[in-house]
Amino acid sequence: MSKSDTKFGDYGGQYVPEALMPAIEELTDAYERYVLDNEDGFMDEFRERIRDFGGRPTPLQRADQLSERYDTEVYLKREDLLHGGAHKLNNALGQVLLAKYMGKERIIAETGAGQHGTATAMAAAHLDMPCEIYMGRRDINRQRPNVFRMRINGAEVNPVDIGRGTLKEAISETMRDWATTVETTHYVIGSVVGPAPFPAMVRDFQSVISEEARRQSEEQFGDLPGAVVACAGGGSNTMGAFAEFIDDEDVDLYAVEAGGSSLTVDEEEGVAPHSASLSTGEEGVLHGARTKLLQDTHGQIMESHSVSSGLDYSGVGPELAYLVDEGRVIPKNVGDESALEAFHRLSQDEGIIPALETAHAFGFLEDVAGPDGDGSVDLPETVVVNVSGRGDKDLEAVIEETDKRELENAPTMEVFE
Amino acid sequence: MGLEDSFDEPAFVPYLAAGDPDFDSSIEYVEALERGGADIIELGLPFSEPIAEGPTIQQAVVRSLEGGMTPERFFEFVEELDVDVPLVCMTYYNLIYQYGPEDAEPVLPFVKRAAEVGLEGFVVPDLPAEEADLLREACDDHGLDLVFIVAPTTKGERLDRIMEQVSGYVYVQARLGVTGARADVSDQTEESLARLEQYDVPKAVGFGISSGEQAADVVAAGADGVIVGSALVDIVAEGHEEDEPTEETAAKLESLARELKEGALAGAQRRPRPEGT
């Protein structure tokens, strides 16, 4: 019996081409030895590097304006202050280090918004490993600053032109590369998705977020928070923020997905105008795992949509799907417009420019507890929101999307002549 | 009976994506393969995320899906085909899993329907032996074969585990990577065939074979058959792009099929004769 979680209820598993299976067995073995059993002091080295290179622990900060606005104590877990500007480094550094312990010679990764690609490129440069990143053509155009950051750190960026050119296609393409180079290469999957052991392993590297948040909550306000809120695309910051609270039944866990422009689906076009696979998806098999997916009645995977390329994915981590079915995690979704408003609100009220992904988590607070909130959720006395990343990378997208809309709280985006 | 019976002599197993580039032409293309000497035909039921396929078959998948291919349409396609050789459905697990009414047992409706239209087996590239119990049982219940892929990386216990599950033939992946025609056939093939020698099931080699000469090499190296996909799909793609009349493309397919079948037969002549004969 394996020590690691390969299944979460019926979800998870290992649905990959045969050529990859030996690599997955090798990885499972390495994960159990180094990560779970701390063989050769692997976890000690990881913790030291994520502290010194990464800048952990990140603060748990009280948000004064938001606390007043929502009439509850709002605390921010500041993963945006981690090196690279997002929680992604926790996992990227962990996996690149693991690849090194395994004697692999080359790193590949996929990226959507570019945060995972950037984190992997940084970790690879830090640990002196050659690195190639696959990124959809459409995402490359939406996230240019991160493309340059990857290149500046010495990574090669390979554009993916298939399909709509977003994360789904980038993952498929990285799997193809891996199937060709599996003997020398480690594929750093960027979220709690993919075949086992990835979902459990990525969760373990990210759970440092909730481990700290738990300790900091007790130190700073002498209790656990009443709720933890995190945005959910694939779900790595979500699982990281939730992991250490799962057994605390009094802590509500809200996973906030991208509601996009609408929750209705154009079956004919094969496109979902949202990325809410936890709220609306059906069980199926994609990219190595059984999970909740956006798919049509025939089982073809639908294209997803979100103003945030980091949430734009048709699947979600299998453990999250399981926790939603179990009723432990409550899925919510927030539309493009609410997310943009929340982006501007956090920037103006708290001086924090959040990633568009993160803005969805704040959009949830506004949607339920803001002045025009629907009151559908009674917020507890203290709420921790995971600030999964900072928004510098999203500025071009925000300017363009804000220009298209009449947002009540947006500044003018005109440039001075 | 089963797929194994098609390997009495070196077998030629071509692959085409059903419905590529459209339903009617695709029917003619598949029938042309039989005229060219196909012993078994692998028909692709396209999935939107074909992670095991190279660019050639990815594009075929897109053409077929854009032409309206669905699992139900695929079964109609099989019913409409006028061929005598066994047909194998090659597809990804999600389509098999999703087929049928919502409250039905997963996998069973697909297998039942496949048996009804006369399919004789499946190849499912994203379903490793570890996850295959459901489909294996359903195939047994309906008398269908389940073909597994063995990669150059598959060794030791994994190989035993797969060989316990496999029936019909084993798909020997000639080299690492994704599907696609190549100029050379890897020496990984010989190693893989040597590892498989002790197992009593036909061995068909695929991934990268595109000419009669390569087919002969693979059979001479000990394969019981050759699987060819991308080189044939290339002909379909070219015909589509050049707006070629269907019969012209079909004739080209038939001609390459014949070359490949003859290559496979010629390869058998080059095998070292067993001692004492």
Side-chain angles (χ1 to χ4, degrees):
Chain A
M1 195 51 199
S2 156
K3 279 185 281 184
S4 51
D5 303 331
T6 58
K7 291 260 166 88
F8 308 96
D10 286 337
Y11 298 108
Q14 299 172 314
Y15 298 84
V16 292
E18 174 54 33
L20 293 178
M21 283 304 290
I24 281 172
E25 288 188 335
E26 186 190 346
L27 181 64
T28 303
D29 178 58
Y31 162 56
E32 290 176 356
R33 281 164 46 205
Y34 296 121
V35 181
L36 299 182
D37 295 344
N38 193 28
E39 196 174 304
D40 297 342
F42 173 85
M43 282 307 285
D44 302 326
E45 180 172 350
F46 168 65
R47 285 179 187 279
E48 186 183 314
R49 286 182 188 273
I50 199 67
R51 183 187 74 210
D52 296 348
F53 175 68
R56 298 213 75 92
T58 60
L60 181 70
Q61 179 221 329
R62 185 177 187 276
D64 296 339
Q65 271 59 249
L66 295 187
S67 294
E68 196 172 321
R69 185 176 181 91
Y70 302 125
D71 195 22
T72 188
E73 296 289 305
V74 178
Y75 284 84
L76 309 179
K77 183 59 179 160
R78 297 290 309 274
E79 291 301 291
D80 59 315
L81 293 180
L82 190 66
H83 178 49
H87 70 289
K88 293 287 187 186
L89 186 70
N90 302 322
N91 169 49
L93 186 67
Q95 283 199 51
V96 175
L97 188 63
L98 188 64
K100 219 163 173 133
Y101 273 59
M102 290 168 73
K104 297 288 175 183
E105 295 159 16
R106 172 176 174 260
I107 294 295
I108 54 172
E110 89 297 320
T111 198
Q115 278 306 107
H116 172 59
T118 301
T120 305
M122 282 173 172
H126 173 64
L127 292 163
D128 194 24
M129 293 273 267
C131 172
E132 282 181 53
I133 308 285
Y134 289 89
M135 188 170 186
R137 179 79 68 178
R138 181 185 153 90
D139 285 340
I140 284 181
N141 293 331
R142 287 199 283 185
Q143 301 285 349
R144 289 191 305 171
N146 269 341
V147 175
F148 289 114
R149 290 210 289 171
M150 287 179 248
R151 283 187 173 165
I152 287 166
N153 279 301
E156 214 170 293
V157 180
N158 304 321
V160 178
D161 287 311
I162 309 152
R164 215 165 121 266
T166 58
L167 182 57
K168 173 165 75 71
E169 290 78 18
I171 293 180
S172 294
E173 203 53 27
T174 321
M175 286 197 160
R176 293 186 184 104
D177 179 319
W178 200 30
T180 316
T181 58
V182 62
E183 287 164 313
T184 56
T185 299
H186 176 66
Y187 172 12
V188 180
I189 287 189
S191 193
V192 287
V193 301
F198 281 103
M201 182 174 71
V202 176
R203 173 204 63 206
D204 289 352
F205 286 131
Q206 291 294 358
S207 63
V208 61
I209 301 171
S210 47
E211 196 182 292
E212 285 175 8
R214 208 166 187 285
R215 192 180 66 232
Q216 290 163 327
S217 297
E218 280 169 341
E219 282 165 11
Q220 289 171 226
F221 52 86
D223 201 357
L224 296 182
V228 179
V229 181
C231 62
S236 71
N237 94 88
T238 334
M239 279 314 303
F242 293 174
E244 297 295 321
F245 292 110
I246 301 275
D247 294 335
D248 302 308
E249 297 283 340
D250 292 342
V251 181
D252 298 334
L253 305 174
Y254 291 101
V256 186
E257 302 189 283
S261 54
S262 155
L263 281 190
T264 16
V265 163
D266 190 342
E267 275 261 351
E268 195 89 325
E269 288 291 313
V271 176
H274 60 83
S275 310
S277 35
L278 283 175
S279 321
T280 72
E282 299 276 345
E283 190 186 332
V285 174
L286 175 66
H287 291 145
R290 185 186 293 191
T291 186
K292 289 184 190 283
L293 301 174
L294 302 178
Q295 56 185 325
D296 67 15
T297 48
H298 305 299
Q300 304 291 357
I301 307 305
M302 270 194 283
E303 302 290 347
S304 58
H305 164 83
S306 169
V307 68
S308 159
S309 36
L311 299 181
D312 202 345
Y313 180 54
S314 314
V316 65
E319 189 173 9
L320 264 178
Y322 168 72
L323 290 170
V324 164
D325 281 3
E326 291 290 293
R328 182 66 191 97
V329 167
I330 307 156
K332 293 284 171 186
N333 58 79
V334 160
D336 287 345
E337 202 141 313
S338 289
L340 279 165
E341 274 178 12
F343 172 93
H344 290 297
R345 187 171 305 109
L346 195 70
S347 303
Q348 290 159 27
D349 290 359
E350 298 289 348
I352 295 169
I353 299 179
L356 272 175
E357 294 90 318
T358 311
H360 285 74
F362 289 98
F364 163 71
L365 291 187
E366 182 74 9
D367 284 359
V368 301
D372 298 321
D374 59 15
S376 58
V377 172
D378 215 358
L379 289 180
E381 269 170 47
T382 48
V383 175
V384 167
V385 185
N386 194 34
V387 185
S388 58
R390 68 174 192 228
D392 310 39
K393 63 173 176 92
D394 289 322
L395 291 189
E396 284 188 38
V398 168
I399 292 164
E400 195 190 318
E401 295 292 335
T402 301
D403 256 346
K404 278 195 239 167
R405 297 174 165 84
E406 285 184 17
L407 297 181
E408 235 172 64
N409 66 349
T412 170
M413 292 294 166
E414 273 169 39
V415 174
F416 304 105
E417 291 293 334
Chain B
M1 72 162 263
L3 295 170
E4 259 187 63
D5 300 339
S6 304
F7 290 85
D8 291 343
E9 58 172 33
F12 163 54
V13 185
Y15 163 97
L16 281 180
D20 169 29
D22 61 76
F23 193 94
D24 293 340
S25 324
S26 187
I27 293 268
E28 296 206 24
Y29 297 160
V30 174
E31 290 173 356
L33 294 177
E34 189 193 33
R35 289 196 298 276
D39 298 291
I40 293 172
I41 299 173
E42 290 183 356
L43 288 176
L45 161 56
F47 178 50
S48 54
E49 318 302 316
I51 55 173
E53 318 293 353
T56 302
I57 293 179
Q58 283 178 47
Q59 281 152 17
V61 165
V62 171
R63 286 191 296 269
S64 171
L65 287 175
E66 281 175 354
M69 184 51 72
T70 62
E72 196 41 55
R73 197 85 179 113
F74 175 82
F75 292 128
E76 288 163 20
F77 184 91
V78 174
E79 277 177 321
E80 202 158 308
L81 278 174
D82 183 15
V83 296
D84 288 327
V85 297
L87 300 170
V88 169
C89 167
M90 181 154 183
T91 195
Y92 286 75
Y93 192 53
N94 200 46
L95 298 187
I96 298 177
Y97 192 80
Q98 293 303 329
Y99 185 82
E102 224 167 86
D103 52 352
E105 292 258 331
V107 172
L108 273 178
F110 190 94
V111 175
K112 194 164 161 257
R113 185 83 178 99
E116 257 168 38
V117 300
L119 283 161
E120 297 202 14
F122 299 109
V123 187
V124 189
D126 65 343
L127 190 70
E130 283 78 357
E131 307 284 0
D133 288 354
L134 259 186
L135 185 58
R136 175 75 267 173
E137 277 169 36
C139 282
D140 288 347
D141 289 350
H142 290 87
L144 293 179
D145 282 317
L146 185 53
V147 173
F148 281 87
I149 299 173
V150 165
T153 44
T154 314
K155 292 163 194 168
E157 275 175 39
R158 277 208 58 73
L159 195 55
D160 289 336
R161 210 176 301 154
I162 292 171
M163 298 315 277
E164 274 167 29
Q165 294 257 25
V166 78
S167 68
Y169 56 96
V170 55
Y171 188 139
V172 184
Q173 189 177 327
R175 53 175 171 73
L176 283 176
V178 290
T179 56
R182 296 291 161 92
D184 61 314
V185 173
S186 151
D187 50 341
Q188 288 175 325
T189 308
E190 280 186 41
E191 287 171 33
S192 298
L193 286 170
R195 265 201 307 279
L196 287 165
E197 212 172 14
Q198 50 168 311
Y199 300 100
D200 186 27
V201 60
K203 291 124 196 126
V205 172
F207 273 52
I209 298 169
S210 62
S211 69
E213 207 173 310
Q214 287 172 329
D217 289 347
V218 163
V219 170
D224 300 301
V226 293
I227 304 173
V228 180
S230 295
L232 297 162
V233 173
D234 273 336
I235 293 176
V236 173
E238 215 178 276
H240 178 63
E241 276 154 31
E242 309 278 312
D243 239 339
E244 218 167 58
T246 306
E247 23 329 339
E248 211 170 294
T249 306
K252 286 182 187 169
L253 285 167
E254 186 180 331
S255 150
L256 180 58
R258 190 159 292 123
E259 179 194 325
L260 289 158
K261 174 66 188 178
E262 281 165 7
L265 292 174
Q269 304 299 317
R270 281 174 23 205
R271 273 186 198 159
R273 290 179 188 282
E275 278 172 49
T277 57

